[in-house]
Amino acid sequence: MGMTMTEKILAAHAGLSEVHAGDLIEAKLDLVLGNDVTTPVAVKVFEEAGFTRVFDREKIAIVLDHYTPCKDIKSAQLCKTARDFARKHGITHFYDVGKAGIEHALLPEQGIVAPGELIIGADSHTCTYGALGAFSTGVGSTDMAAGMATGKNWFKVPAAIRVELKGKLPPMVSGKDLILHLIGLIGVDGALYKSLEFTGEGVAALSMDDRFTIANMAIEAGGKNGIFPVDEVTLAYEQGRVSRDFTVYAADPDAVYERTVTIDLDTLEPTVSLPHLPSNTRRVSEVAGMPIDQVVIGSCTNGRISDLRIAAEILKGKQVAEGIRCIVIPATQQVYLQCVAEGLAEIFVRSGCVFSTPTCGPCLGGHMGCMCEGERAVSTTNRNFIGRMGHTASEVILASPATAAASALAGCVADPRAL
Amino acid sequence: MFTGTVYKFGDNIDTDVIIPARYLNNPDPAALASHCMEDIDASFAGKVQPGDIMVGGWNFGCGSSREHAPIAIRASGVRCVIAASFARIFYRNAINIGFPILECPEAAQAIQNGDRVSVDFDTGLITDETTGAVFHAAAFPPFIKGIIAKGGLLPYLKAELEEKKED
């Protein structure tokens, strides 16, 4: 019986020749990740259980990104706990303010994750690295602690859904529109416990940044992971980032999938998710004109350079509408520098946006853009649950960077193709 | 086997409503418990009693990986969660902290808010004492039962390492 890409990576890390959906396995980890919210809980669990050493200080990444630069005294304490632990154990991949960025943009950028690797992270959007052809999945703090202590963890091999991509994305339509469309199609638990395996001739035309955005939101369909085949685009991205050997896995032709969902990229339109579930999707053209108060462009979903380039292209020489607050947040220090070097930072500021240091901040209602009762945002982030960006009676509409930028100019939900 | 009063919630109860991110800057279990479910039921933390049971619909615990969510529910006094299905990270997190959860769509649908319900975690037997209805949740594999019996994944791993040393 053939194996999916996910099954092959899990089998290799479990030291087995074959695994299949439903098998409970113990697998070796290539990287264990945590952030400033989840690491302190993991540290407590790790120490309370009596562990004193990490399995491999080079295979742990701790990134302070959620409430940083620290928004209050309690979050400063969280960062201190994580920082002290990282120092005590000599963690190689420790990223503090000034070097950090949003973890899921930072790790691929720095070459800390690579194709074929098995990564767990105490952050649900750890599934992002599937874009590189890795198996990566979000876990909790106890899993992080177990991973740091032993370098292994238990997994149930997921059944797979094949997402067959055809054609090519039209102008002003991005990976974000594709993944929102897919979540709308299969629902927020449409891929529960399962892997989403993206295949088809449509993959080749997707940029690496689009693939990161798509894999990043696999969790919003309940997915354990989302994974892309490794092709020339992936290998070109890894050039100069990853010097260690990595293995490229491909699905067997007779791999077993529970179902296949086919998406014709040519037919996709700018798409948004209305409150309060990512599956509550509409074509932008259906809801254009909905009044808004705020726009957020950034996050682990859409804070990469190509996201900010398209936003800047739309905003260039124009002004954010009266009464709209537009917050632009590059995902990493490197993306920030690129924005400065390419003149994007100036475009944002001149058009009336704020241009911030990297942080997860507003995405989870942490800081840098919380909303009060009755306010509504168009945001390139990944969740629009009740109270996600502030008050329980505030609303988040999920959108692509192009739609967000167009909405900032229009002062309401707007179709970027209409500009 | 234990019996408790049910607090019932709907489908897709996400971790942002179980414990809003604005409270994650203090991971102390008692502090988390005081805000548990606040964004959909502000009175929950004040009325829930030790030993009560939480019932949810499909995809309970979806969203963020925050282990603070099962920690908050447990610290609020809730003894066990029954749901039609669980989001996978919440499912792992509950098991990993040794907090019992049961997946049973029939029970999740039939049991009503305020019912008295008995749960036998070893057999997966759920009895609605108010209506007399009986349900069977799928039992966990022995490996997962072992984790819960030891009080969580880390105590389980530590015990495993100690055993190896003794061999």
Side-chain angles (χ1 to χ4, degrees):
Chain A
M1 195 155 83
M3 289 194 281
T4 63
M5 227 178 134
T6 293
E7 286 169 340
K8 282 196 176 172
I9 297 172
L10 289 175
H13 285 80
L16 300 168
S17 57
E18 228 177 89
V19 301
H20 292 290
D23 293 353
L24 265 178
I25 57 161
E26 187 178 64
K28 282 188 184 169
L29 308 172
D30 294 310
L31 191 79
V32 179
L33 162 73
N35 58 47
D36 50 319
V37 173
T38 57
T39 303
V41 178
V43 167
K44 185 164 177 268
V45 171
F46 182 93
E47 289 174 350
E48 277 178 1
F51 288 100
T52 51
R53 294 177 63 173
V54 297
F55 85 106
D56 186 339
R57 67 188 190 91
E58 292 182 8
K59 292 185 175 178
I60 294 166
I62 296 174
V63 185
L64 308 183
D65 59 359
H66 274 55
Y67 294 146
T68 54
C70 290
K71 73 176 183 113
D72 56 19
I73 297 165
K74 286 173 183 165
S75 53
Q77 184 59 52
L78 293 181
C79 284
K80 184 174 190 306
T81 304
R83 189 179 294 124
D84 288 350
F85 181 85
R87 282 190 186 142
K88 180 177 170 188
H89 295 278
I91 304 299
T92 316
H93 303 300
F94 170 64
Y95 291 91
D96 209 335
V97 172
K99 292 205 164 53
I102 301 176
E103 49 197 328
H104 308 309
L106 184 75
L107 265 49
E109 175 195 279
Q110 298 295 319
I112 298 165
V113 289
E117 294 184 340
L118 197 164
I119 301 120
I120 62 167
D123 187 279
S124 60
H125 293 106
T126 301
C127 51
T128 308
Y129 322 129
L132 295 168
F135 174 85
S136 65
T137 191
V139 296
S141 295
T142 294
D143 275 322
M144 180 192 178
M148 290 197 300
T150 67
K152 294 181 291 191
N153 213 322
W154 65 276
F155 299 91
K156 192 172 174 185
V157 179
I161 296 176
R162 176 168 48 192
V163 183
E164 179 93 23
L165 304 178
K166 288 178 164 179
K168 198 168 177 289
L169 291 170
M172 293 293 169
V173 179
S174 68
K176 183 62 166 289
D177 301 292
L178 190 166
I179 188 64
L180 293 181
H181 174 79
L182 176 65
I183 296 164
L185 212 58
I186 67 175
V188 286
D189 59 355
L192 190 58
Y193 306 128
K194 299 187 178 92
S195 70
L196 283 170
E197 314 247 341
F198 294 90
T199 63
E201 40 102 6
V203 168
L206 290 174
S207 70
M208 216 43 245
D209 283 0
D210 273 332
R211 297 180 197 188
F212 283 126
T213 302
I214 294 165
N216 171 274
M217 287 190 73
I219 178 70
E220 305 324 325
K224 182 168 196 152
N225 65 314
I227 194 163
F228 277 84
V230 176
D231 63 7
E232 284 168 18
V233 175
T234 329
L235 296 176
Y237 181 85
E238 294 300 27
Q239 197 88 45
R241 293 179 200 273
V242 175
S243 52
R244 65 189 176 280
D245 290 334
F246 57 80
T247 311
V248 173
Y249 294 91
D252 288 324
D254 59 341
V256 177
Y257 300 93
E258 209 176 74
R259 63 187 280 213
T260 297
V261 178
T262 305
I263 296 178
D264 187 348
L265 304 183
D266 292 289
T267 65
L268 292 180
E269 291 189 35
T271 301
V272 292
S273 297
L274 298 184
H276 288 285
L277 281 178
S279 58
N280 193 15
T281 51
R282 300 282 189 284
R283 292 192 298 275
V284 172
S285 53
E286 292 176 87
V287 294
M290 272 177 86
I292 57 171
D293 304 283
Q294 177 164 299
V295 170
V296 174
I297 301 173
S299 83
C300 62
T301 311
N302 279 127
R304 297 181 183 81
I305 191 65
S306 54
D307 300 316
L308 300 186
R309 281 182 189 140
I310 184 77
E313 185 187 316
I314 290 168
L315 291 163
K316 190 174 184 179
K318 299 190 175 118
Q319 285 298 304
V320 168
E322 188 68 32
I324 302 295
R325 312 174 298 262
C326 184
I327 301 159
V328 181
I329 308 179
T332 66
Q333 290 285 88
Q334 199 179 95
V335 175
Y336 190 105
L337 266 181
Q338 258 178 299
C339 285
V340 172
E342 294 180 19
L344 312 186
E346 184 169 351
I347 292 172
F348 293 130
V349 175
R350 289 207 182 276
S351 66
C353 306
V354 288
F355 185 67
S356 153
T357 180
T359 179
C360 303
C363 172
L364 72 160
H367 63 154
M368 284 297 298
C370 290
M371 293 189 291
C372 70
E373 185 174 5
E375 291 192 318
R376 185 187 290 144
V378 166
S379 177
T380 69
T381 53
N382 41 56
R383 293 195 173 121
N384 55 353
F385 299 148
I386 292 170
R388 177 73 178 180
M389 202 176 275
H391 196 278
T392 54
S394 65
E395 296 185 344
V396 176
I397 296 174
L398 304 177
S400 72
T403 300
S407 302
L409 293 178
C412 58
V413 176
D415 190 330
R417 298 170 305 179
L419 291 172
Chain B
M1 174 105 154
F2 51 90
T3 305
T5 301
V6 165
Y7 286 89
K8 188 171 181 178
F9 297 92
D11 294 337
N12 301 313
I13 295 300
D14 62 76
T15 55
D16 276 284
V17 302
I18 295 172
I19 182 70
R22 60 186 178 275
Y23 302 121
L24 299 183
N25 58 1
N26 182 2
D28 171 58
L32 294 171
S34 68
H35 299 292
C36 187
M37 310 309 283
E38 181 177 295
D39 284 359
I40 47 167
D41 181 359
S43 65
F44 176 80
K47 65 192 177 190
V48 65
Q49 295 296 315
D52 283 346
I53 292 170
M54 190 179 283
V55 174
W58 299 100
N59 202 26
F60 186 92
C62 62
S64 147
S65 72
R66 63 191 70 156
E67 202 160 294
H68 311 65
I71 292 172
I73 295 173
R74 179 167 67 182
S76 76
V78 167
R79 184 69 191 274
C80 138
V81 181
I82 301 167
S85 66
F86 290 93
R88 59 160 289 276
I89 305 178
F90 184 93
Y91 181 92
R92 274 188 89 97
N93 286 347
I95 290 166
N96 284 343
I97 65 166
F99 180 53
I101 54 172
L102 290 168
E103 202 165 78
C104 184
E106 299 79 18
Q109 193 186 8
I111 294 170
Q112 295 303 315
N113 197 39
D115 285 1
R116 292 284 296 170
V117 166
S118 301
V119 173
D120 186 334
F121 193 67
D122 288 332
T123 60
L125 198 71
I126 301 167
T127 309
D128 188 330
E129 308 286 357
T130 307
T131 63
V134 176
F135 310 94
H136 293 271
F140 282 120
F143 159 69
I144 290 177
K145 272 189 180 163
I147 293 176
I148 293 171
K150 288 283 182 203
L153 181 62
L154 272 279
Y156 174 87
L157 290 175
K158 195 72 187 169
E160 210 178 35
L161 287 176
E162 299 297 324
E163 270 171 36
K164 274 185 195 157
K165 263 187 215 162
E166 282 164 22
D167 287 348

